[in-house]
Amino acid sequence: MSRIVLGTLAAMLCLTTGAQAQTILSAETAAPNTTPGISIIALSEAAAKAGVADIQVTSGQTLTNSVQNVAEGKTDIAAAPFILPFLLSKGVGPYAGLGAEKGAELADELAVLYTYRISVQGLFAFDSSNISGWDGLEGKTIFNGPPRGAALTNARLLIKTNTGLEEGSGYTGVQVNWGQAVKTMQDGSADAFVLPMSFPDPRVSASLASGNMTIFSVSKEVYDSEAFNNVAKLPGTVKFSMPIEDMGYGDGITVVSEDGTFRGPGTVGADIVNKSMDFALAKSLTTAAIENIESIYHAKAPFMPVTWHGETAIEITDMCGPNPLKYHPGAVAAWEEAGYTLPDCAK
């Protein structure tokens, strides 16, 4: 009898200790070679390594839809540029069909595990296109993102801030899904590209097979202007600068700037969950991420060590202010137990 009891207790113990590891979660993210794509994939590996959950990742998604899916409880985790929850909370832009009341209701369902810089919006072109810079875009055809999403919204705004040009009247916009981005860059469909970039950026590097390219910094004058500062006040946008020598590019890439510094608007966001997620699960996911920032996140791609994973300062995370999202209580506990300080307005 004692053996039966001991065997039953052992079986129960195995079930108890393995229960969390058997949790199956769904996640949506952007293309797997982008910062949000890699971030979610890294989270899935960290969660599996820690025995927290099995995260089934669907990449190549339009994050506009992914954010709404998390808010509606259809997906457990998603990568989210902060401009999207803001637009959702107002029921405008890509969420205009929902209306302000429903949009605000859905946005209130979202919570943050951790933040990071998704990309820096920038202008680049093949040298053969004879694009001189921002002042050479009038009348040109510009690939500026997927048909729907934050990247397209940000690109149109950046072009207008730098040149005053509107899509349709000042230039022709080309939009394709991210999976077709490199092909579109290489096949001559556009004269120039205003897209999110990492440093070094895999789409830029892959396109070098079709010729040398030049990346154009935002000028110091525009960067310091009231118009650009207003752009940087948008949820999920921060001013970004980096020495050209630290951008990680080699032969075939020229970066044009007045003073050896690349400047542009940085897009920040987070890996998000529904606020109804269990406290312990959100805490365990966040702890797994924090403990593996260097070993998994930074090791995934050459650009990942400079994407601000593990940063919590407001000027980098862009939490608080017009950004409607706050950290999940479980994430707050994980960060604080790991020795980090989170601003009260973000809890």
Side-chain angles (χ1 to χ4, degrees), residues 49-214:
K49 176 183 175 183
V52 174
D54 175 13
I55 302 176
Q56 300 177 349
V57 179
T58 304
S59 60
Q61 302 303 294
T62 300
L63 298 182
T64 303
N65 301 328
S66 300
V67 168
Q68 185 173 341
N69 286 341
V70 172
E72 292 176 342
K74 298 175 181 177
T75 301
D76 295 306
I77 308 168
F82 281 145
I83 187 64
L84 293 179
F86 173 76
L87 295 175
L88 178 62
S89 72
K90 304 296 183 183
V92 297
Y95 303 109
L98 294 171
E101 184 176 351
K102 181 63 175 177
E105 177 185 317
L106 287 174
D108 190 52
E109 295 297 320
L110 301 173
V112 169
L113 296 181
Y114 53 83
T115 66
Y116 50 92
R117 193 189 74 246
I118 292 174
S119 62
V120 178
Q121 205 87 11
L123 166 66
F124 53 101
F126 286 108
D127 294 351
S128 58
S129 297
N130 295 317
I131 296 293
S132 58
W134 291 100
D135 58 356
L137 298 185
E138 187 170 6
K140 302 296 185 181
T141 299
I142 303 171
F143 172 26
N144 54 2
R148 185 170 178 257
L152 178 60
T153 300
N154 290 340
R156 287 170 172 163
L157 181 59
L158 184 59
I159 294 170
K160 184 175 181 180
T161 301
N162 278 273
T163 68
L165 300 175
E166 298 269 7
E167 182 174 330
S169 57
Y171 64 92
T172 299
V174 171
Q175 291 94 42
V176 301
N177 292 324
W178 287 127
Q180 300 172 293
V182 173
K183 177 181 179 297
T184 302
M185 290 162 62
Q186 292 178 320
D187 67 11
S189 298
D191 301 306
F193 321 103
V194 178
L195 299 171
M197 291 189 291
S198 303
F199 303 120
D201 188 82
R203 283 191 289 259
V204 173
S205 299
S207 297
L208 288 176
S210 296
N212 292 347
M213 305 185 82
T214 297

Side-chain angles (χ1 to χ4, degrees), residues 310-330:
E311 299 289 346
T312 59
I314 290 178
E315 60 269 22
I316 288 178
T317 66
D318 208 39
M319 294 290 284
C320 305
N323 177 7
L325 299 194
K326 298 182 184 298
Y327 290 98
H328 190 287

Side-chain angles (χ1 to χ4, degrees), residues 134 162 217-224 258 263:
W134 291 100
N162 278 273
S217 172
V218 169
S219 70
K220 290 174 63 177
E221 180 182 0
V222 170
Y223 188 78
D224 292 331
E258 302 115 300
R263 297 175 176 83

Side-chain angles (χ1 to χ4, degrees), residues 204-283:
V204 173
S205 299
S207 297
L208 288 176
S210 296
N212 292 347
M213 305 185 82
T214 297
I215 298 171
F216 300 92
S217 172
V218 169
S219 70
K220 290 174 63 177
E221 180 182 0
V222 170
Y223 188 78
D224 292 331
S225 69
E226 181 180 357
F228 193 90
N229 285 327
N230 286 337
V231 170
K233 292 177 183 177
L234 293 172
T237 303
V238 297
K239 297 182 75 169
F240 173 87
S241 64
M242 172 182 277
I244 290 174
E245 61 188 21
D246 293 341
M247 292 173 69
Y249 290 109
D251 295 341
I253 295 289
T254 301
V255 182
V256 174
S257 171
E258 302 115 300
D259 59 356
T261 298
F262 176 84
R263 297 175 176 83
T267 299
V268 286
D271 287 341
I272 64 168
V273 297
N274 193 288
K275 71 179 185 182
S276 66
M277 177 177 278
D278 178 74
F279 176 94
L281 179 57
K283 181 181 177 182

